[in-house]
Amino acid sequence: MKLSDSHPQAGPCFQLFDRSTTYTTIRCLKEEDLRSVWLLELPGRGLTTLKRWPVTWPLRWKTFFRQSQPDRQLTGAWKLLKAGVNTPQPATPVYRAGSFYQLEMPFIEGSTAYDLLKSELPESSDLLYELARELGKIVRRIAEAGLRHRDLKLENVVVKVSHRDSTPLSLWLIDPVGIRSSFSLADSLVCMLDRLAIQPLNDGVTVPLSLQIICIQAALGQMAGNERRHFFQLLRKSLITSRSKSQAD
């Protein structure tokens, strides 16, 4: 039996930050052990995600030092927002609701970058080139802010397509729990580009070389020649290590 089986779709079953708020449970978006993410609809706020973590002694201990996953989700979001990266702005602090810690964040509608990569629709080709370019810019922006995203995955990048020519698409990072400080621009770039390559590699999904080049070029920006050579040495070494681990698994 899954945890979501004990939560009927109709009727309230959660204690929200504002207990007077009425809501409608749409569905469970993600579930792992007793951790879960729920899609709710709130009057005046629209679609909202409710993230829940069961209260355990290790989690309570980490929470005391602000190092728990809920706390890192919150602080990571604010760091990305400060760096000018699109991510859902937390609607509440991390709070206790019965035997769970909870966090409410806006729901971002759109397709994930990973879904678009695997799409075989003819119209997805041009979109992928723009996606690769924008993703590279985001990697660069995070690195220039003195940060790195240790868990940057294509499935956690939501793509919102706009019908306006000036902003054809916008990318949103929806799981900022892996944000860490970084004192090396090259190391930060390598870390995130390597992370982006892992999921397609593990799943046997081919990423066209042209998309890889566009993403890397956008991430490098105006990096000087010597720095570029050092960067590519680091990236090559990192990808070889990741590929070896993937094949071993």
Side-chain angles (χ1 to χ4, degrees), residues 55-124:
V55 176
T56 61
W57 280 110
L59 187 61
R60 292 179 67 178
W61 177 252
K62 290 180 180 179
T63 298
F64 181 78
F65 294 100
R66 295 291 188 268
Q67 293 300 312
S68 68
Q69 191 176 68
D71 287 306
R72 288 187 286 115
Q73 182 89 38
L74 189 66
T75 57
W78 288 118
K79 287 178 181 179
L80 287 181
L81 289 168
K82 187 177 180 180
V85 176
N86 291 331
T87 194
Q89 180 173 324
T92 67
V94 176
Y95 62 96
R96 177 87 177 257
S99 57
F100 288 88
Y101 285 119
Q102 296 186 164
L103 177 63
E104 299 169 31
M105 306 183 78
F107 176 70
I108 305 301
E109 295 186 77
S111 301
T112 69
Y114 197 46
D115 287 338
L116 291 176
L117 177 63
K118 295 186 295 182
S119 174
E120 297 181 356
L121 297 175
E123 61 268 21
S124 66

Side-chain angles (χ1 to χ4, degrees), residues 155-180:
E155 67 178 2
N156 286 333
V157 178
V158 174
V159 182
K160 295 179 66 176
V161 179
S162 171
H163 297 293
R164 294 179 298 175
D165 294 337
S166 57
T167 54
L169 60 81
S170 60
L171 272 55
W172 292 70
L173 304 189
I174 61 172
D175 192 2
V177 72
I179 299 296
R180 296 288 189 277

Side-chain angles (χ1 to χ4, degrees), residues 14 54 56 60 66 83 130 147 167 169 198 205-206:
F14 300 119
T56 61
R60 292 179 67 178
R66 295 291 188 268
E130 185 64 22
L147 303 169
T167 54
L169 60 81
I198 291 302
V205 176
T206 301

Side-chain angles (χ1 to χ4, degrees), residues 4-161:
S4 54
D5 293 334
S6 63
H7 293 282
Q9 296 298 307
C13 54
F14 300 119
Q15 175 187 312
L16 301 186
F17 184 73
D18 182 353
R19 299 190 182 190
S20 64
T21 300
T22 59
Y23 65 89
T24 302
T25 305
I26 307 298
R27 66 179 184 275
C28 181
L29 298 174
K30 186 177 181 181
E31 187 173 15
E32 183 178 349
D33 297 327
L34 293 178
R35 293 174 295 174
S36 57
V37 181
W38 295 80
L39 178 61
L40 311 179
E41 185 171 9
L42 281 64
R45 280 172 52 186
L47 295 176
T48 295
T49 55
L50 176 66
K51 300 194 172 189
R52 314 185 82 215
W53 297 265
V55 176
T56 61
W57 280 110
L59 187 61
R60 292 179 67 178
W61 177 252
K62 290 180 180 179
T63 298
F64 181 78
F65 294 100
R66 295 291 188 268
Q67 293 300 312
S68 68
Q69 191 176 68
D71 287 306
R72 288 187 286 115
Q73 182 89 38
L74 189 66
T75 57
W78 288 118
K79 287 178 181 179
L80 287 181
L81 289 168
K82 187 177 180 180
V85 176
N86 291 331
T87 194
Q89 180 173 324
T92 67
V94 176
Y95 62 96
R96 177 87 177 257
S99 57
F100 288 88
Y101 285 119
Q102 296 186 164
L103 177 63
E104 299 169 31
M105 306 183 78
F107 176 70
I108 305 301
E109 295 186 77
S111 301
T112 69
Y114 197 46
D115 287 338
L116 291 176
L117 177 63
K118 295 186 295 182
S119 174
E120 297 181 356
L121 297 175
E123 61 268 21
S124 66
S125 179
D126 292 339
L127 184 62
L128 286 176
Y129 287 114
E130 185 64 22
L131 168 61
R133 186 175 295 106
E134 291 302 314
L135 194 53
K137 291 179 181 178
I138 286 177
V139 168
R140 177 77 184 189
R141 197 171 298 135
I142 294 173
E144 288 181 334
L147 303 169
R148 70 172 70 185
H149 194 334
R150 295 177 57 189
D151 194 31
L152 183 59
K153 296 185 291 187
L154 292 174
E155 67 178 2
N156 286 333
V157 178
V158 174
V159 182
K160 295 179 66 176
V161 179

